[in-house]
Amino acid sequence: RKEVEQDPGPFNVPEGATVAFNCTYSNSASQSFFWYRQDCRKEPKLLMSVYSSGNEDGRFTAQLNRASQYISLLIRDSKLSDSATYLCVVYWEGAGSYQLTFGKGTKLSVIP
Amino acid sequence: ETGVTQSPTHLIKTRGQQVTLRCSSQSGHNTVSWYQQALGQGPQFIFQYYREEENGRGNFPPRFSGLQFPNYSSELNVNALELDDSALYLCAARDFSSSYEQYFGPGTRLTVT
């Protein structure tokens, strides 16, 4: 089982649609969780952190279920500029070091 | 701007050669991590340096090695290049004591022929 698994995608949605991405992780000792966005041939950039209580940033809502080891990202009212690959990322820290483990990414294309 | 730069942007090497990739970050970023991102995959953790010492390593062979310097720059060295080493190599810097957020550089795209 891969450490971080995401929906395979790609997701092709019309402008204005709502789209949801799911992610599961295998390391129950993981401490923090993030969604990164990566545009084509660019570096990943932090989109938002994910908290157990759920958190929202404008049109983006992230949720975490530690018991199920499941993370989600919801994008409402999709814009053309949301087209990118979305990476689910799990953070572990211990013994003076840390590691980010990335999922494979889910590609989103928002169509006019 | 993330304050993290990488050089070169693109590089073509032949199988069996050696390569050095460079990363520079701003003052205060005392931790640097290197990642390999193959086409269609997420970034894979190679190793991490904190205050010039390696303090974490992913599942990569010893021919992947690195250095971190006092001026917050870092190097990734790969010996005996293989075709599968073709990928985007990303460095990410962070102030380990103050923030979770890592700042990624733009990456170096390495092609091994």
Side-chain angles (χ1 to χ4, degrees), chain A residues 38 43 91 96-98 100, chain B residues 37 41 48 55 94 102 105:
Chain A
Q38 186 172 26
E43 73 274 22
Y91 174 93
S97 71
Y98 69 91
L100 292 182
Chain B
Q37 187 174 22
Q41 304 294 318
Q48 177 186 113
N55 74 336
R94 173 192 171 195
Q102 286 195 131

Side-chain angles (χ1 to χ4, degrees), chain A residues 2 31-32 34 36 38 41-46 87 91 93 95-105, chain B residues 2 10 31 33 35 37 40-45 48 55-56 88 90 94 96 100-102 104-106 109:
Chain A
K2 291 189 185 300
Q31 294 144 315
S32 301
F34 306 93
Y36 275 69
Q38 186 172 26
R41 305 183 78 81
K42 299 284 190 181
E43 73 274 22
K45 293 186 178 176
L46 179 65
L87 298 159
Y91 174 93
E93 180 179 321
S97 71
Y98 69 91
Q99 183 168 330
L100 292 182
T101 302
F102 287 77
K104 201 173 174 179
Chain B
T2 66
H10 296 87
T31 305
S33 301
Y35 295 84
Q37 187 174 22
Q41 304 294 318
Q44 298 294 306
F45 175 70
Q48 177 186 113
N55 74 336
L88 179 68
L90 296 157
R94 173 192 171 195
F96 192 22
Y100 281 130
E101 186 166 1
Q102 286 195 131
F104 280 88
R109 189 163 297 280

